[in-house]
Amino acid sequence: MPSGGSPAPSAGSSAADEEPASPRLAAREERRPRDMVLSLLVLLVPIALFLGFYRVILDGDKPISVDPTSSIELATREFPVAQPAGLGDDWHVTSANFRREDTGATLRLGYVDPDGKPVLLVQSDIEPATLVPAEVGAQGKRTGTYRTGERTWMRYTGREDETALIVTEQTRTIVIIGNSADTTNLEKLAASL
């Protein structure tokens, strides 16, 4: 044995005769595509069951509704409040907020319409010259009218992709804001007031 501590190569073998260990797995040690598919199924089946339970049993896609009664009661102390009548169960009140300020009081009711789009109903005794630009934006312009049984509503363009229906009365201003692509539900809400 040489003094370096490593064994001396034997006389009959050379470096070329030694084969390095293969870096590849043997055929039985490799993962097959079938194993990957089974692993994915083990993960995806419980996820699909959970989503189905959430959507069907728990009504997970249904908007969360709130009771606007307390906000409406507070607003009726400041001005007469118009309440929708005859809207179907597919309309959901998702927010209700009453706010009193130095310039007046405002009731905001947020709805999700039957198409799943947001609609905002604002009623206020703040001066229309102040309220309308604040609600529809400074770029809002009057584009026409819409007539219901009792009222003639002014139709405004609002912020991007928004349309507003506005009526000013002696004691309050009512503003309905929603998607400009289809104003059918805005008109339906206006007619229900």
Side-chain angles (χ1 to χ4, degrees):
M1 188 182 238
S3 63
S6 61
S10 63
S13 69
S14 69
D17 290 341
E18 294 179 19
E19 289 187 28
S22 173
R24 296 182 181 252
L25 296 174
R28 299 182 78 190
E29 295 177 323
E30 291 181 356
R31 295 216 183 257
R32 296 173 297 195
R34 187 189 88 171
D35 295 336
M36 291 176 62
V37 169
L38 289 174
S39 297
L40 283 174
L41 283 176
V42 167
L43 292 173
L44 292 177
V45 168
I47 292 171
L49 290 173
F50 175 75
L51 288 175
F53 177 77
Y54 175 74
R55 293 183 79 186
V56 175
I57 305 297
L58 299 178
D59 284 333
D61 290 340
K62 185 177 178 182
I64 298 173
S65 296
V66 299
D67 183 10
T69 305
S70 62
S71 296
I72 291 171
E73 287 175 359
L74 290 171
T76 56
R77 297 178 188 162
E78 303 293 328
F79 54 84
V81 174
Q83 295 188 47
L87 292 177
D89 292 339
D90 47 359
W91 284 82
H92 302 279
V93 179
T94 57
S95 66
N97 184 347
F98 173 73
R99 184 182 218 170
R100 188 177 297 114
E101 300 174 11
D102 293 338
T103 56
T106 304
L107 173 66
R108 285 186 173 79
L109 300 176
Y111 287 88
V112 172
D113 70 14
D115 297 331
K117 296 180 180 162
V119 176
L120 179 63
L121 171 62
V122 179
Q123 299 182 58
S124 180
D125 63 357
I126 295 175
E127 286 296 316
T130 304
L131 179 69
V132 171
E135 296 299 331
V136 300
Q139 69 276 18
K141 293 189 177 23
R142 187 172 171 185
T143 60
T145 59
Y146 170 70
R147 182 176 294 277
T148 61
E150 298 178 13
R151 298 179 176 101
T152 300
W153 297 78
M154 297 175 285
R155 188 181 306 270
Y156 271 70
T157 59
R159 295 175 184 89
E160 186 176 346
D161 297 329
E162 285 185 349
T163 295
L165 297 176
I166 302 170
V167 66
T168 56
E169 298 174 344
Q170 203 169 36
T171 56
R172 69 176 171 222
T173 300
I174 303 173
V175 181
I176 300 173
I177 303 169
N179 191 321
S180 61
D182 182 14
T183 60
T184 306
N185 287 324
L186 297 181
E187 293 167 358
K188 185 175 183 176
L189 180 58
S192 74
L193 295 174

